[in-house]
Amino acid sequence: MDVKELYKRKLISLEEAVRLVQSNQKICTAMAASEPAGLLTALAGRKDELENVTIVSCLIMRDYEIFKPEMTGRFLNETWFYGPGDRANHVHGNVTYIPNNLHEAGKKKLANDKINIFWGTATPMDKRGYFSLSLGLTYEKLMIEQADLVVLEINENLPWTLGDTQVHISEIDHVVENTIPLVQLPPVEPGEEELVIGQYIAEMIEDGATLQLGIGGIPNAIAQSLMDKRDLGVHTEMFTDGMVDLFNAGVITGRRKTIWKGKMVGTFALGTQKLYDFIDTNLAVEFQQGYVVNDPCVVGQNHKMVSINTALQVDLTGQVCSEAIGNRHYSGTGGQADTHRGAQRSPGGKGIIALRSTAKAGKISTIVAQLPAGAKVTLGRNDIDYIVTEYGVAHLKGRSVRDRVQAMINIAHPDFRAELREEANRLQIW
Ligand code: COA
């Protein structure tokens, strides 16, 4: 097979490719930093011809015209994880959330829905006809196998990542060349509370442990508290900048890992150019599909597996809400339940939810007697292991409601403890 010839035959312009989209179709797009910005931008040019086109996405990072209020009825974003634009657009009714545990997201979608087009991004092709799917491998490859039509936007700026990321030109219907700057998510500088939380968590992590660090400010801050550790490993949903620092400092070696020894394993990457340069053709970095990496049974095969995620609110019995603020949908479950549960299957493993004890400049407590109406339980209390705030560690696993209430009040901000006790008594949470 002359792969260069095949490439030439499959290469079309963005304009031609976008013309392939028809009304009433579902188009699944690659996630986050690998989202196909060409498609999502150019579809606006067809707004007068198309209706009822559904984009099935995950964590859209840029702002697109097709999701503006005037496009309602023409384009709908069905998403596994809200990005910043989705939060704003939700009120117009053109964004809807797909409840999911990340390791099952792609498979469940395909089991009960038809995906007409998969539209992703990839590196330029190599001499053997392979592309690397680069920054996202959560559900993308499953969709390539199942969609009626597959289009890849080729971006020269995408890093060539290793593992299960390769797809061959023969599996693709069309390629479109679209080299644009990559989306970057700079880490948030940790404040005082985050650094204290980082210290508590550092004390819970033994040398030789394998880590999952979730999305958000706190997991990133924790990376800074681990500089004194030795031989840590990574088995994570998302690769982050903090992991690069730990690797470069010699803290992450993966030498004591039980699966994928010596490799940092993950399913997508989102960070700055520093991270994207680091993962480019790096033999120490292994991308595997979301249904593999995040499967709790796989997570649990790592010894001393520690999963660290964050939340918006936790109630006194240990119900964790990480994806909504009351009825306002904020993000998604992602792999939070996958990795929290998986870590507890691991010999010596720990599931940790870390959050600041207050939000909105100390005005509200994130530890609440009961979750507000409309809140979503991201992680049920039956599955919870540890909760950490800047006031300490509450180990809830196996404990009664009575013990949990006391442990949670102990890690709440002192200004709210009396109020929480009164509420617990009034509601008979005991
Ligand atoms: N009540 C009201 N508002 C609250 C709040 C509360 N209890 N807690 C936080 N907020 C507000 C913050 O003030 C902030 O508002 P702003 O954007 O106006 O400043 C916003 O909510 C986000 O809070 P922040 O603490 O900055 O969030 P983050 O970026 O660190 O992300 C999660 C935290 C929980 C949203 C994020 O980790 C998440 O979506 N988790 C679920 C998925 C997951 O864990 N996946 C795991 C593997 S990647």
Side-chain angles (χ1 to χ4, degrees):
M1 189 189 309
D2 183 343
V3 290
K4 277 195 185 149
E5 190 48 43
L6 204 52
Y7 183 92
K8 256 195 235 157
R9 266 198 271 139
K10 294 188 175 193
L11 178 65
I12 56 176
S13 68
L14 180 59
E15 208 183 30
E16 285 173 295
V18 172
R19 259 191 260 127
L20 299 170
V21 177
Q22 294 167 26
S23 292
N24 306 312
Q25 284 191 323
K26 285 206 169 186
I27 311 171
C28 181
T29 56
M31 75 172 290
S34 40
E35 75 195 17
L39 166 78
L40 295 170
T41 306
L43 269 179
R46 294 200 56 206
K47 65 178 192 298
D48 298 328
E49 304 151 38
L50 292 173
E51 42 182 41
N52 191 31
V53 171
T54 303
I55 306 296
V56 178
S57 69
C58 188
L59 188 50
I60 287 194
M61 298 297 294
R62 301 178 179 90
D63 211 12
Y64 295 105
E65 211 187 321
I66 56 168
F67 301 125
K68 296 290 170 219
E70 58 277 19
M71 300 285 185
T72 306
R74 302 202 175 278
F75 302 100
L76 171 72
N77 186 19
E78 246 189 31
T79 182
W80 282 297
F81 203 97
Y82 271 34
D86 300 317
R87 281 169 216 141
N89 292 330
H90 180 94
V91 290
H92 309 300
N94 53 11
V95 191
T96 182
Y97 177 64
I98 314 168
N100 72 102
N101 284 312
L102 186 125
H103 83 282
E104 296 175 316
K107 285 192 175 181
K108 285 198 169 172
K109 185 82 198 146
L110 287 164
N112 201 24
D113 217 342
K114 172 82 191 143
I115 298 297
N116 303 103
I117 304 179
F118 173 75
W119 200 300
T121 53
T123 59
M125 189 178 79
D126 75 1
K127 62 183 180 190
R128 295 188 177 83
Y130 286 98
F131 304 91
S132 165
L133 292 176
S134 190
L135 299 173
L137 198 61
T138 302
Y139 51 82
E140 288 80 350
K141 222 170 171 178
L142 287 175
M143 296 294 162
I144 289 177
E145 285 164 16
Q146 298 291 326
D148 294 337
L149 187 84
V150 176
V151 183
L152 289 183
E153 285 181 27
I154 308 305
N155 184 346
E156 287 172 20
N157 292 325
L158 285 169
W160 185 288
T161 57
L162 301 173
D164 192 15
T165 53
Q166 279 71 54
V167 287
H168 195 258
I169 180 73
S170 55
E171 298 169 80
I172 308 304
D173 295 294
H174 296 291
V175 283
V176 168
E177 290 175 351
N178 188 30
T179 291
I180 54 169
L182 301 179
V183 164
Q184 300 202 36
L185 185 71
V188 186
E189 267 310 300
E192 238 172 79
E193 288 102 341
E194 282 91 345
L195 291 173
V196 176
I197 290 170
Q199 280 312 316
Y200 280 122
I201 292 181
E203 284 166 25
M204 298 166 74
I205 295 176
E206 294 174 42
D207 290 341
T210 291
L211 306 182
Q212 128 83 23
L213 293 176
I215 192 163
I218 290 181
N220 241 324
I222 287 159
Q224 300 190 14
S225 310
L226 300 176
M227 286 296 172
D228 296 336
K229 301 286 170 189
R230 298 176 67 144
D231 289 330
L232 296 182
V234 170
H235 183 109
T236 191
E237 173 181 333
M238 172 171 133
F239 287 117
T240 62
D241 279 49
M243 294 170 189
V244 181
D245 299 334
L246 287 169
F247 183 91
N248 289 339
V251 175
I252 290 174
T253 64
R255 256 178 230 143
R256 288 161 70 181
K257 281 185 84 179
T258 41
I259 51 172
W260 287 290
K261 202 184 264 290
K263 304 236 186 222
M264 297 162 75
V265 176
T267 187
F268 75 95
L270 181 58
T272 67
Q273 193 60 43
K274 175 170 88 177
L275 173 68
Y276 304 149
D277 289 342
F278 175 78
I279 61 180
D280 187 39
T281 58
N282 188 338
L283 281 167
V285 179
E286 171 89 8
F287 278 70
Q288 286 289 329
Q289 299 194 50
Y291 75 84
V292 178
V293 175
N294 267 43
D295 181 337
C297 296
V298 176
V299 174
Q301 287 171 37
N302 291 291
H303 289 192
K304 294 187 189 170
M305 175 75 215
V306 183
S307 156
I308 304 158
N309 293 308
T310 184
L312 297 168
Q313 285 178 316
V314 185
D315 80 8
L316 291 178
T317 74
Q319 300 195 91
V320 174
C321 170
S322 312
E323 59 195 80
I325 300 169
N327 206 35
R328 189 161 76 87
H329 195 84
Y330 190 83
S331 56
T333 300
Q336 180 162 125
D338 290 342
T339 61
H340 195 86
R341 288 183 186 133
Q344 292 175 77
R345 298 175 71 99
S346 149
K350 297 184 176 96
I352 301 174
I353 295 293
L355 77 171
R356 278 184 304 267
S357 67
T358 61
K360 301 285 168 207
K363 288 200 204 72
I364 49 175
S365 176
T366 56
I367 310 296
V368 290
Q370 52 185 343
L371 295 175
K376 312 295 178 290
V377 176
T378 306
L379 191 58
R381 62 186 189 171
N382 304 339
D383 289 320
I384 198 70
D385 194 5
Y386 291 92
I387 308 282
V388 179
T389 71
E390 70 276 24
Y391 290 100
V393 178
H395 194 190
L396 303 185
K397 178 156 58 187
R399 310 277 298 277
S400 67
V401 167
R402 178 178 294 258
D403 289 349
R404 287 175 181 221
V405 169
Q406 192 52 53
M408 289 300 292
I409 290 176
N410 289 349
I411 63 163
H413 191 286
D415 290 354
F416 295 97
R417 288 181 193 169
E419 197 181 300
L420 286 167
R421 170 52 65 198
E422 269 171 41
E423 271 298 278
N425 290 342
R426 187 180 71 80
L427 296 165
Q428 301 181 351
I429 309 173
W430 53 44

